[in-house]
């Protein structure tokens, strides 16, 4: 079993950071982003049935607005007390700030006031990709176009959704008991869950009434269990920064990017998955530019998604905001940009022979910048190295081989290859 906080020893001189971190965790205990903006499952079921019959009306969604005024005051106080001057203080200040922005966002739930803070936290589709001349929107269009071009060639792929949620629950429970230890992570079926799956430190939920494929199984295992749950459990091992066990808004992009990267490295991702991620970014852009819920739903449906999947996809875009267009909940923007950033970071770390930094990334809920700035604390032992690593990270030579090939192949210019092929007639 995972060690308890009572067994942790705070290194001398770091008690002030641990105390401030404890205040931070206590302050944000009542901030629950996704539950606050989620829709009732009963509403979704009813509307999906109507949409399946061609009856398109904007859903009527009501939200319960939380009063987080006292929470915001405490977070402002923590920001001021943390200040800056060293990496621990900077981490605490930035984390408190991101939770404060999230609190402001949730207090505006049901209004267009959710849009601006959600973009502040998760970015917008037109944001530039670091180190390139492209935007997140450009990348999304590329993967959608590529998927559509390859679609006919892959029509015979054996992707069958024949695994029930209960059967998958039993399967995953056995695998996770073997990996983490008996009973460390519980796997449950949740009939009210909107997403296919959701993960915490000690619980993974699967959407009830859903059929899963083998691709889904591999994706959930590598994405939810071996990243989201694993980093939360490793975060609980931290003696000073216990907040590393919880996903603050500022680490969402890295966490989701790392989770999708895990799918890529473990061979659990397919082109259809990349298309789904990319379509959500294009849909976000549509909504921000005025498309309403029905228009976004029809877009997903035209792109080949089923009635239910199209509805769920559109719902993700409009969580917590008005459905008439011009507003959006921007969280789905981070999956592709996060994947690209994490992939770039892994390649850079290999080039610099810094595999230690890659391991630190799993020690808790960290951003890529955190790993760099907090490196001295890992080296001193003030921050604990990860107790668990995903299976694909445990085979360093295999990981290095994949990254080394990726690093070199990027030097090959496809335009030159095409020109030479044309000139030689090959």
């Amino acid at each position: 079993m995972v060690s308890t906080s009572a067994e942790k020893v705070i290194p001398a001189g770091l008690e002030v950071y641990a105390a401030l971190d404890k205040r931070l965790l206590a302050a944000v205990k009542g901030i629950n982003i996704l539950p606050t903006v989620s829709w009732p499952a009963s509403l979704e079921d009813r509307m999906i049935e109507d949409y399946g019959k061609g009856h398109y009306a904007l859903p009527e969604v009501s939200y319960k607005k939380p009063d987080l005024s006292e929470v915001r005051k405490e977070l402002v106080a923590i920001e001021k007390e943390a200040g800056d001057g060293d990496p621990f203080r900077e981490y605490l200040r930035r984390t408190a700030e991101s939770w404060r922005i999230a609190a402001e966002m949730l207090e505006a739930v049901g209004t267009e006031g959710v849009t601006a803070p959600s973009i502040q936290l998760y970015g917008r589709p037109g944001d530039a990709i670091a180190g390139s001349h492209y935007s997140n929107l450009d990348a999304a269009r590329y993967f959608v176009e590529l998927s559509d071009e390859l679609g006919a060639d892959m029509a015979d792929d054996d992707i069958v959704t024949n695994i029930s949620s209960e059967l998958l629950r039993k399967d995953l429970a056995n695998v996770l008991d073997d990996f983490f230890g008996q009973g460390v992570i519980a796997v449950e079926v949740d009939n009210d869950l909107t997403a296919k799956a959701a993960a915490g430190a000690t619980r993974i939920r699967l959407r009830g009434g859903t059929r899963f494929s083998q691709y889904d199984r591999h994706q959930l295992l590598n994405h939810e269990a071996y990243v989201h749950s694993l980093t939360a459990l490793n975060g609980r091992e931290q003696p000073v920064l216990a907040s590393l066990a919880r996903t603050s808004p500022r680490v969402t992009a890295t966490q989701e990017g790392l989770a999708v990267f895990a799918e890529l490295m473990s061979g659990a991702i397919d082109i259809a998955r990349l298309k789904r991620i990319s379509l959500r970014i294009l849909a976000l852009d549509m909504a921000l530019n005025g498309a309403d819920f029905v228009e976004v739903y029809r877009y997903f449906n035209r792109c080949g998604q089923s009635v239910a999947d199209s509805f769920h996809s559109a719902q993700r875009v409009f969580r917590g905001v008005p459905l008439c267009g011009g507003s959006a909940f921007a969280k789905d923007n981070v999956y592709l940009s996060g994947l690209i950033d994490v992939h770039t970071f892994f390649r850079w770390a290999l080039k610099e022979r810094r595999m230690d930094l890659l391991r630190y990334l799993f020690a808790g809920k960290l951003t890529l910048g955190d790993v760099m700035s907090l490196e001295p604390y890992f080296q001193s032992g003030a921050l604990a190295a990860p107790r668990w690593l995903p299976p694909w990270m445990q085979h360093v030579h295999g990981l290095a081989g994949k990254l080394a090939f990726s690093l070199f192949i990027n030097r090959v210019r496809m335009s030159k290859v095409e020109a030479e092929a044309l000139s030689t007639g090959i």
Side-chain angles (χ1 to χ4, degrees), residues 191-317:
N191 293 323
D192 293 326
L193 189 65
T194 300
K196 273 192 172 181
T202 59
R203 183 176 65 146
I204 293 176
R205 293 176 294 153
L206 307 174
R207 187 168 72 204
T210 300
R211 310 292 291 186
F212 297 86
S213 68
Q214 281 297 328
Y215 260 121
D216 292 328
R217 176 194 179 275
H218 294 319
Q219 287 165 6
L220 293 176
L221 189 60
N222 287 282
H223 184 114
E224 304 292 350
Y226 293 151
V227 173
H228 291 326
S229 293
L230 181 146
T231 52
L233 287 170
N234 283 334
R236 289 188 170 192
E237 299 280 295
Q238 296 296 338
V240 180
L241 299 180
S243 60
L244 289 176
R246 184 165 184 189
T247 305
S248 66
R250 62 182 286 269
V251 306
T252 303
T254 299
Q255 272 290 297
E256 297 298 353
L258 184 60
V260 180
F261 182 77
E263 297 177 35
L264 186 66
M265 287 295 102
S266 60
I269 201 167
D270 60 349
I271 193 67
R273 166 76 163 153
L274 283 172
K275 180 180 180 179
R276 285 195 301 273
I277 292 170
S278 299
L279 284 175
R280 293 171 188 169
I281 295 169
L282 299 179
L284 273 172
D285 190 60
M286 287 176 60
L288 290 171
N289 284 300
D292 67 17
F293 181 88
V294 173
E295 290 173 305
V296 171
Y297 162 83
R298 284 175 165 160
Y299 172 71
F300 282 117
N301 200 227
R302 286 197 307 272
C303 290
Q305 293 191 5
S306 67
V307 171
D309 285 344
S310 297
F311 190 93
H312 286 304
S313 295
Q315 180 264 347
R316 293 176 66 101
V317 174

Side-chain angles (χ1 to χ4, degrees), residues 382-420:
L383 288 177
R387 175 176 174 180
W388 289 283
L389 289 171
W392 56 271
M393 269 295 293
Q394 296 175 19
H395 306 290
V396 177
H397 293 292
L399 173 64
K402 292 178 182 178
L403 292 173
F405 186 81
S406 173
L407 197 62
F408 180 81
I409 208 67
N410 280 344
R411 301 176 184 177
V412 178
R413 295 290 177 262
M414 288 304 298
S415 58
K416 187 175 181 180
V417 173
E418 291 168 358
E420 290 176 354

Side-chain angles (χ1 to χ4, degrees), residues 354-363 385-386 388-389 393 396:
R354 295 302 311 274
M355 299 297 287
D356 55 330
L357 294 176
L358 301 183
R359 297 186 187 93
Y360 296 155
L361 194 54
F362 294 91
W388 289 283
L389 289 171
M393 269 295 293
V396 177

Side-chain angles (χ1 to χ4, degrees), residues 83-386:
D84 52 30
D86 64 62
F88 269 168
R89 290 188 179 279
E90 187 71 9
Y91 164 85
L92 290 165
R93 183 184 63 78
R94 289 182 181 274
T95 303
E97 178 186 37
S98 74
W99 279 116
R100 175 177 53 78
I101 295 169
E104 294 168 356
M105 177 180 71
L106 296 183
E107 288 186 312
V109 69
T111 75
E112 61 184 16
V114 166
T115 302
S118 82
I119 288 174
Q120 192 174 356
L121 293 173
Y122 308 123
R124 64 168 62 244
D127 288 346
I129 295 172
S132 79
H133 301 295
Y134 301 104
S135 71
N136 204 26
L137 205 54
D138 293 328
R141 289 180 181 133
Y142 169 80
F143 286 115
V144 170
E145 290 171 4
L146 182 63
S147 175
D148 289 342
E149 289 172 6
L150 295 174
D153 294 333
M154 299 188 298
D156 293 330
D157 277 3
D158 187 22
I159 301 177
V160 182
T161 54
N162 60 352
I163 306 173
S164 69
S165 50
E166 179 57 31
L167 187 61
L168 183 59
R169 183 198 68 77
K170 293 179 181 178
D171 177 22
L172 293 182
N174 289 332
V175 172
L176 298 181
D177 279 351
D178 289 341
F179 185 84
F180 290 102
Q182 187 73 30
V184 172
I185 298 180
V187 184
E188 303 173 357
V189 174
D190 185 345
N191 293 323
D192 293 326
L193 189 65
T194 300
K196 273 192 172 181
T202 59
R203 183 176 65 146
I204 293 176
R205 293 176 294 153
L206 307 174
R207 187 168 72 204
T210 300
R211 310 292 291 186
F212 297 86
S213 68
Q214 281 297 328
Y215 260 121
D216 292 328
R217 176 194 179 275
H218 294 319
Q219 287 165 6
L220 293 176
L221 189 60
N222 287 282
H223 184 114
E224 304 292 350
Y226 293 151
V227 173
H228 291 326
S229 293
L230 181 146
T231 52
L233 287 170
N234 283 334
R236 289 188 170 192
E237 299 280 295
Q238 296 296 338
V240 180
L241 299 180
S243 60
L244 289 176
R246 184 165 184 189
T247 305
S248 66
R250 62 182 286 269
V251 306
T252 303
T254 299
Q255 272 290 297
E256 297 298 353
L258 184 60
V260 180
F261 182 77
E263 297 177 35
L264 186 66
M265 287 295 102
S266 60
I269 201 167
D270 60 349
I271 193 67
R273 166 76 163 153
L274 283 172
K275 180 180 180 179
R276 285 195 301 273
I277 292 170
S278 299
L279 284 175
R280 293 171 188 169
I281 295 169
L282 299 179
L284 273 172
D285 190 60
M286 287 176 60
L288 290 171
N289 284 300
D292 67 17
F293 181 88
V294 173
E295 290 173 305
V296 171
Y297 162 83
R298 284 175 165 160
Y299 172 71
F300 282 117
N301 200 227
R302 286 197 307 272
C303 290
Q305 293 191 5
S306 67
V307 171
D309 285 344
S310 297
F311 190 93
H312 286 304
S313 295
Q315 180 264 347
R316 293 176 66 101
V317 174
F318 287 92
R319 286 177 286 187
V321 303
L323 308 183
C324 54
S327 301
F329 180 68
K331 181 176 181 287
D332 277 331
N333 188 63
V334 305
Y335 288 82
L336 190 54
S337 62
L339 168 61
I340 294 170
D341 287 344
V342 168
H343 192 280
T344 301
F345 183 75
F346 268 72
R347 289 168 50 230
W348 173 86
L350 176 69
K351 181 181 177 181
E352 298 297 320
R353 311 297 195 266
R354 295 302 311 274
M355 299 297 287
D356 55 330
L357 294 176
L358 301 183
R359 297 186 187 93
Y360 296 155
L361 194 54
F362 294 91
K365 307 291 187 176
L366 296 153
T367 67
L368 300 176
D370 290 337
V371 172
M372 300 290 288
S373 64
L374 295 172
E375 178 193 2
Y377 296 102
F378 281 110
Q379 293 179 340
S380 70
L383 288 177

